[in-house]
Amino acid sequence: MAPGNLTLVTEFILMGVSDRPELQIPLFFVFLVIYGLTMAGNLGIITLTSVDSQLQTPMYFFLRHLAIINLGDSTVIAPKMLINFLVQKKTTSYYECATQLGGFLFFIVAEVLTLAVMAYDRYVAICNPLLYMVVVSPQICLLLVSLTYLYGFSTGIVVSYCIFSLSYCSSNVINHFFCDIVPLLTLSCSDTYLPETIVFISAATNLVLSLIIVVVSYFNIVLSILRMRSSEGRKKAFSTCASHMMAVTVFYGTLLFMYLQPQTNYSLDTDKIASVFYTLVIPMLNPMIYSLRNKDVKAALQRYLTISCYSLKSV
């Protein structure tokens, strides 16, 4: 194409989850419920772990930040997605698209790292309980969370800059419900080798290293639990990490399914389904997993509701 015929893209059109008109309203209500449950569940976890004195431990400190990340991840995606179900012209500006991609990368990378940190926290608690408060001190917890956010932010900036430093011309229709990397790369009329390489190295490094930390931590946890003589001790040790094991399995299972499938089986429709799961469904499930499987969280919720009811009666 001659340079004079190129039309630079200033906005993108998001095709959404489905392009069938009759499904737009039903899907709107489905995802509205999912987002509402995500907001309620994660805000509940954040509130309980902030105000309840018995939840002021490293484990619940990390859980609070996982809830913040889940809330941010779904909020970057869901509001625009819900609006697009109700409008005819599903457009997003160039800079809005870049901001959404950067925000998504920030939160998804932060979630990967936070799950790894939580696995390490459980490893220290079960395998080295006498050193727990030294190894996972409040200062160390704050440092780990700060580094997680800083690394997620830098990844979001660098990768989104690489994607949007490319030229987009003529075609501006993104076959997705948000501005994601692969659909954007397919639209570019520039050479995408360098951005693809940076994205691959970043994604592989983050996923593999965090997965190694999780697997090694839980391998040692299982060995420690099996060596315990007391069945009550084994049960208590397992209950402290069961919720996190379930959340990790769901999250990494989705990512591995998405990234390890054969290239011949890959499609953007499959990508959209997987993306719905780890950007919207998992943030909704995590508060349920941690509250339903955790006696401390359920007890804290009961105390919080009791105090709230008593305060209302006093008024």
Side-chain angles (χ1 to χ4, degrees), residues 144-221:
L144 289 172
V145 167
S146 300
L147 290 175
T148 294
Y149 286 133
L150 181 62
Y151 182 74
F153 180 76
S154 60
T155 301
I157 292 292
V158 171
V159 175
S160 58
Y161 174 78
C162 289
I163 300 301
F164 282 89
S165 63
L166 300 172
S167 296
Y168 294 92
C169 28
S170 299
S171 179
N172 67 337
V173 179
I174 300 175
N175 185 16
H176 216 302
F177 58 89
F178 73 100
C179 295
D180 200 2
I181 294 172
V182 176
L184 283 165
L185 286 174
T186 60
L187 295 181
S188 176
C189 51
S190 302
D191 180 10
T192 60
Y193 175 76
L194 181 59
E196 284 178 348
T197 303
I198 292 173
V199 168
F200 176 78
I201 292 173
S202 176
T205 301
N206 296 335
L207 190 57
V208 171
L209 288 180
S210 63
L211 194 57
I212 288 173
I213 294 171
V214 170
V215 171
V216 170
S217 296
Y218 276 105
F219 178 77
N220 285 286
I221 287 170

Side-chain angles (χ1 to χ4, degrees), residues 93-290:
S93 72
Y94 183 89
Y95 292 106
E96 184 182 8
C97 191
T99 302
Q100 187 182 53
L101 176 62
F104 162 70
L105 291 171
F106 165 57
F107 287 114
I108 202 71
V109 170
E111 182 168 3
V112 168
L113 297 180
T114 301
L115 289 173
V117 169
M118 292 175 74
Y120 175 73
D121 169 74
R122 291 299 83 208
Y123 159 73
V124 177
I126 293 172
C127 300
N128 298 287
L130 296 178
L131 296 175
Y132 182 63
M133 294 312 297
V134 176
V135 176
V136 196
S137 65
Q139 293 80 10
I140 296 296
C141 290
L142 187 60
L143 177 63
L144 289 172
V145 167
S146 300
L147 290 175
T148 294
Y149 286 133
L150 181 62
Y151 182 74
F153 180 76
S154 60
T155 301
I157 292 292
V158 171
V159 175
S160 58
Y161 174 78
C162 289
I163 300 301
F164 282 89
S165 63
L166 300 172
S167 296
Y168 294 92
C169 28
S170 299
S171 179
N172 67 337
V173 179
I174 300 175
N175 185 16
H176 216 302
F177 58 89
F178 73 100
C179 295
D180 200 2
I181 294 172
V182 176
L184 283 165
L185 286 174
T186 60
L187 295 181
S188 176
C189 51
S190 302
D191 180 10
T192 60
Y193 175 76
L194 181 59
E196 284 178 348
T197 303
I198 292 173
V199 168
F200 176 78
I201 292 173
S202 176
T205 301
N206 296 335
L207 190 57
V208 171
L209 288 180
S210 63
L211 194 57
I212 288 173
I213 294 171
V214 170
V215 171
V216 170
S217 296
Y218 276 105
F219 178 77
N220 285 286
I221 287 170
V222 171
L223 288 181
S224 295
I225 291 175
L226 292 176
R227 283 197 290 261
M228 292 179 181
R229 296 180 180 180
S230 167
S231 59
E232 186 65 28
R234 287 196 298 269
K235 183 178 178 182
K236 184 178 180 181
F238 180 76
S239 67
T240 63
C241 57
S243 299
H244 185 250
M245 288 177 65
M246 190 181 303
V248 162
T249 301
V250 173
F251 182 78
Y252 281 103
T254 304
L255 290 182
L256 292 174
F257 166 78
M258 182 175 172
Y259 289 109
L260 296 184
Q261 61 179 312
Q263 193 65 30
T264 53
N265 293 341
Y266 179 83
S267 71
L268 286 174
D269 290 333
T270 304
D271 186 11
K272 281 195 280 188
I273 294 171
S275 298
V276 164
F277 209 77
Y278 68 73
T279 60
L280 298 170
V281 176
I282 290 177
M284 176 192 70
L285 292 177
N286 277 345
M288 298 180 187
I289 292 171
Y290 284 105

